[in-house]
Amino acid sequence: MSKETKYTEDNIRSLDWKEHIRMRPGMYIGKLGDGSSADDGIYILLKEVLDNSIDEYVMGAGKTIEISIQGDKVTVRDYGRGIPLGKVVDVVSKMNTGGKYDSRAFKKSVGLNGVGTKAVNALSTFFKVESTRDGKAASAEFEKGNLTNQDTLDETTRRRGTKVSFVPDETIFKHFKYRTEYVAKMLKNYVYLNPGLTIIFNGEKYFSENGLRDLLSDNINEEDRLYDIIHLKGDDIEIAITHSKTQYSEEYHSFVNGQHTTQGGTHLAAFREAIVKTIREYYGKNYEASDIRKSIVSAISIKVMEPVFESQTKTKLGSTDMGGDLPTVRTYINDFVKTKLDNFLHRNPNTTESLQRKILQAERERKDLSGIRKLAKERAKKASLHNKKLRDCRIHLTDSKKDRNLESTLFITEGDSASGSITKSRDVNTQAVFSLRGKPLNCYNMTKKIVYENEEFNLLQAALNIEESLEDLRYNNIVIATDADVDGMHIRLLLITFFLQFFPEVIKEGHLYILQTPLFRVRNKKETIYCYSEQERRDAIQKLSGKPEITRFKGLGEISPDEFVHFIGDDIRLDPVMLDKDKSIEELLSFYMGKNTPQRQEFIIDNLKVELDTVEEEL
């Protein structure tokens, strides 16, 4: 019989606020990460500080926010009212302390729990807050939540407002790097939701006059819009709607009190329902919901009193009520859409004609594909049962949505040896593997029919569960894991083409990545260094000196499972696949995958020459 573990008063321990945050950071900022994903912790730190400045603007104080990211140091400066000088230390270091608990000072605020800046403080090796108001100033500096310096100025000529600077703790956010593209997207959303606000980031200005209309304008090119953007506003609600001529699936951007709810919630569900109901009533036809919403590109923003989110990072709204004397979220949105959208449709016959043609086209395509889709789903189900293509993670062995984890990852790889190495090395709880057989088809300019007729595409679509929309996407991270050779690069390009052609929102919403694996292993008897580039290889040789053993990895299958576990674990390196904001999807696909060989050949030759010149300079 095993010895019973003692449980006494000595086992009871109380943590102070900063110790608890540092021990359980995920409870406060979600996942950690290194900055390769838009929802990594370093962006949440920035957002938590920025939210306070946004709330100042919403309350009518300060029209400009300045942000600087230089290396690992972040600085946010607003020109709002400034923190009351006697509370500068308390609001960033005492839990449940802040102005947002007083409804007279803040209404419909982004954050109401008084945790945000405390988490930033505790998770930073350097944190400084400065407040200026009434011609006086106060500042405080911290290290990992511990106060290190405090100052007051009885007189100052500085403009009023608050300035926060911080450096994330690299022991928590390992090898982190802020990516300009992710920060820029976050800031664009802030100005869309706050027309008239100016944000200056590293010298670049962000501003919006037309709110969600500007959001859609920046996300779908004018030539790809089926009709002009429908833009409707109310007291606590704003929506924008159009349909794409080329996109197959649905695309939504949803916000609550200025917070980007990437996982949707009660407001998005009500919005999708309201669109279908209103359009059915306008045309007097019981169209299928999927036909109405096919190719839709839309956005919704609502303001709720004391919103309830399903996590600290506020990515999914759980509230069912608007607050105060207002009705439920569902009723409020349905009533607004029914009235405003219906009025718009009656006044704009050109839009209604285009929309109806789109719905009827979607209906024809759905019926034409019905037999193929049924057969494809049966094949996908049979393949899943026999575990031929997908080695799922345990969290997905249940059909319950609540058990699906934001941390779940699907590796798409090619060949038995490569998939075998990843399968043996993975975390079986959250990491799944999908094995390709040979190179996928170049699907540029093909119709959605090919997705169901092609076994690889059909099974991949089924594994991801993205046939209709991203709402039920089964994996937050989709990682292409191929060899770093010509064939591997070609497979990457073909898979990216598949997503761009049929599911571009997978890329737009930041779910697609390329796995970086080491090209070399440099080791001696004491130390092993994995190198991801020629420069890293040269640095490793110099560091280890002598004549270390050098191994060149030609493919994923050559890396043993014992080694591979390092490259897909805590030290995983992912490169996000991002769209060029200055080029349309059609332009990208036409250039890289179309029949324009001479232009592509010239591009390759020019860039190869630049690469060779760079190598010669290094040598």
Side-chain angles (χ1 to χ4, degrees):
M1 186 175 179
S2 61
K3 188 177 179 180
E4 186 177 275
T5 303
K6 290 183 178 180
Y7 180 53
T8 67
E9 288 88 347
D10 294 334
N11 297 111
I12 306 298
R13 182 187 173 197
S14 296
L15 299 176
D16 74 5
W17 68 275
K18 54 186 176 295
E19 286 181 307
H20 191 270
I21 292 173
R22 290 180 64 81
M23 182 177 287
R24 299 284 186 267
M27 291 178 60
Y28 299 89
I29 61 167
K31 69 176 187 176
L32 300 180
D34 62 359
S36 58
S37 176
D39 58 354
D40 281 350
I42 60 170
Y43 302 109
I44 304 301
L45 299 184
L46 169 59
K47 186 190 78 66
E48 292 290 0
V49 174
L50 190 52
D51 280 347
N52 293 326
S53 297
I54 296 295
D55 283 333
E56 285 296 300
Y57 171 78
V58 171
M59 296 301 295
K63 294 183 179 180
T64 301
I65 300 171
E66 297 167 353
I67 301 169
S68 169
I69 299 181
Q70 302 298 327
D72 57 3
K73 185 178 181 180
V74 180
T75 302
V76 178
R77 168 68 154 109
D78 68 46
Y79 297 90
R81 294 164 293 183
I83 301 168
L85 302 187
K87 295 291 184 180
V88 166
V89 173
D90 290 356
V91 298
V92 297
S93 63
K94 287 189 177 180
M95 297 298 276
N96 304 318
T97 301
K100 297 174 188 177
Y101 292 106
D102 186 343
S103 60
R104 295 169 301 175
F106 291 89
K107 296 179 180 179
K108 297 169 185 173
S109 171
V110 172
L112 291 170
N113 51 22
V115 171
T117 51
K118 286 81 166 176
V120 182
N121 188 357
L123 299 173
S124 298
T125 52
F126 170 82
F127 181 93
K128 182 177 182 180
V129 57
E130 304 170 72
S131 177
T132 306
R133 57 188 288 163
D134 304 323
K136 299 178 181 181
S139 66
E141 293 183 24
F142 299 80
E143 180 181 349
K144 300 177 183 178
N146 296 299
L147 181 65
T148 58
N149 190 40
Q150 191 173 357
D151 258 331
T152 58
L153 291 173
D154 290 333
E155 290 186 26
T156 181
T157 57
R158 289 192 310 229
R159 290 177 61 186
R160 74 173 189 177
T162 303
K163 181 179 179 181
V164 174
S165 301
F166 65 91
V167 176
D169 188 344
E170 197 171 64
T171 64
I172 294 174
F173 308 98
K174 297 179 181 178
H175 313 296
F176 76 86
K177 174 187 175 184
Y178 280 96
R179 293 181 182 266
T180 301
E181 297 91 342
Y182 288 146
V183 176
K185 184 175 181 181
M186 179 195 301
L187 302 185
K188 284 181 180 180
N189 284 337
Y190 276 119
V191 296
Y192 295 142
L193 297 168
N194 298 279
L197 170 67
T198 296
I199 297 180
I200 300 172
F201 169 47
N202 285 353
E204 186 171 350
K205 180 179 176 181
Y206 295 85
F207 181 84
S208 171
E209 288 185 356
N210 304 303
L212 295 186
R213 174 188 288 276
D214 290 340
L215 187 156
L216 288 202
S217 294
D218 288 346
N219 277 272
I220 178 170
N221 294 319
E222 186 174 358
E223 58 270 21
D224 189 34
R225 295 175 210 155
L226 183 66
Y227 50 84
D228 289 341
I229 295 168
I230 302 171
H231 186 212
L232 306 171
K233 297 179 71 174
D235 291 337
D236 289 314
I237 186 171
E238 178 182 1
I239 66 173
I241 304 170
T242 188
H243 277 73
S244 165
K245 295 177 183 177
T246 58
Q247 186 170 307
Y248 285 93
S249 49
E250 305 170 30
E251 180 180 330
Y252 300 96
H253 306 265
S254 67
F255 306 87
V256 174
N257 295 10
Q259 167 63 39
H260 189 193
T261 44
T262 53
Q263 290 183 274
T266 52
H267 61 313
L268 181 56
F271 182 46
R272 297 175 74 232
E273 173 190 295
I275 290 171
V276 171
K277 185 177 180 181
T278 301
I279 289 176
R280 280 175 175 168
E281 290 180 358
Y282 174 80
Y283 291 112
K285 302 282 187 180
N286 192 30
Y287 293 127
E288 284 281 335
S290 61
D291 295 335
I292 293 172
R293 295 194 301 245
K294 181 182 178 182
S295 309
I296 194 171
V297 181
S298 59
I300 178 172
S301 172
I302 65 168
K303 293 180 180 179
V304 178
M305 292 289 288
E306 299 185 3
V308 176
F309 295 97
E310 294 191 5
S311 70
Q312 164 61 20
T313 52
K314 309 178 184 75
T315 54
K316 187 174 184 178
L317 181 68
S319 298
T320 56
D321 294 317
M322 295 289 291
D325 297 327
L326 294 174
T328 65
V329 169
R330 180 171 179 266
T331 301
Y332 184 82
I333 293 175
N334 265 282
D335 289 348
F336 175 82
V337 173
K338 180 180 180 181
T339 301
K340 297 291 186 178
L341 181 57
D342 184 73
N343 288 344
F344 181 92
L345 294 175
H346 275 94
R347 292 195 301 267
N348 294 270
N350 290 338
T351 297
T352 59
E353 289 173 12
S354 297
L355 179 56
Q356 188 169 39
R357 283 197 299 269
K358 183 74 173 178
I359 294 171
L360 294 175
Q361 179 187 344
E363 185 179 62
R364 287 193 299 270
E365 290 175 357
R366 176 176 53 82
K367 290 178 178 178
D368 289 344
L369 285 173
S370 60
I372 297 174
R373 289 171 75 173
K374 183 178 179 182
L375 183 61
K377 286 182 178 181
E378 290 175 356
R379 288 204 309 265
K381 186 176 180 180
K382 185 178 180 181
S384 178
L385 288 172
H386 290 84
N387 203 25
K388 289 181 179 179
K389 306 292 293 183
L390 175 67
R391 293 169 178 83
D392 211 345
C393 47
R394 287 176 180 166
I395 205 153
H396 285 151
L397 296 180
T398 171
D399 288 332
S400 175
K401 288 184 183 179
K402 67 180 180 180
D403 293 327
R404 294 176 184 169
N405 195 319
L406 277 176
E407 295 294 319
S408 61
T409 297
L410 178 69
F411 292 101
I412 305 175
T413 189
E414 188 270 330
D416 294 336
S417 57
S419 61
S421 292
I422 294 181
T423 300
K424 292 175 184 176
S425 310
R426 66 182 174 135
D427 177 349
V428 295
N429 291 311
T430 60
Q431 294 178 331
V433 182
F434 184 91
S435 302
L436 294 171
R437 186 182 66 237
K439 289 185 179 180
L441 180 71
N442 179 0
C443 59
Y444 171 58
N445 255 349
M446 294 186 178
T447 66
K448 190 72 175 285
K449 184 179 180 182
I450 196 67
V451 177
Y452 299 101
E453 292 179 334
N454 181 276
E455 182 181 15
E456 301 288 316
F457 290 158
N458 175 44
L459 296 180
L460 179 57
Q461 172 186 258
L464 294 170
N465 196 33
I466 53 175
E467 181 181 357
E468 299 297 342
S469 73
L470 279 192
E471 188 178 11
D472 295 320
L473 177 67
R474 299 182 75 241
Y475 306 93
N476 192 48
N477 305 314
I478 304 166
V479 180
I480 300 174
T482 59
D483 295 341
D485 57 16
V486 175
D487 285 338
M489 299 292 182
H490 191 205
I491 292 172
R492 289 183 192 178
L493 190 57
L494 292 168
L495 285 170
I496 292 172
T497 300
F498 164 73
F499 286 108
L500 284 174
Q501 181 74 26
F502 302 116
F503 306 104
E505 66 279 12
V506 166
I507 297 176
K508 289 180 180 179
E509 293 299 318
H511 294 288
L512 190 63
Y513 301 87
I514 303 296
L515 176 67
Q516 294 299 309
T517 51
L519 298 174
F520 305 97
R521 179 182 60 210
V522 181
R523 66 182 177 185
N524 57 22
K525 292 181 180 179
K526 295 182 179 180
E527 187 177 358
T528 298
I529 301 175
Y530 295 99
C531 310
Y532 290 76
S533 67
E534 282 285 349
Q535 185 59 51
E536 288 187 18
R537 181 183 69 86
R538 286 193 287 269
D539 293 343
I541 293 172
Q542 187 174 4
K543 179 181 179 181
L544 297 182
S545 68
K547 292 185 177 180
E549 174 192 315
I550 303 172
T551 302
R552 171 68 162 95
F553 295 121
K554 295 180 181 179
L556 302 185
E558 295 183 4
I559 304 175
S560 70
D562 291 339
E563 288 181 297
F564 217 117
V565 70
H566 300 296
F567 314 135
I568 59 173
D570 292 338
D571 294 326
I572 190 171
R573 294 195 190 186
L574 297 176
D575 281 341
V577 177
M578 296 180 176
L579 290 174
D580 186 336
K581 64 179 182 180
D582 297 322
K583 288 187 172 64
S584 69
I585 291 175
E586 176 59 31
E587 284 180 296
L588 289 169
L589 290 178
S590 175
F591 180 81
Y592 289 103
M593 307 306 290
K595 298 177 180 179
N596 60 338
T597 307
Q599 294 96 321
R600 221 173 25 244
Q601 187 179 56
E602 184 178 340
F603 173 82
I604 293 169
I605 292 172
D606 289 345
N607 282 273
L608 181 60
K609 185 178 183 301
V610 172
E611 183 70 23
L612 290 173
D613 289 344
T614 303
V615 172
E616 286 177 6
E617 287 176 11
E618 290 180 354
L619 294 174

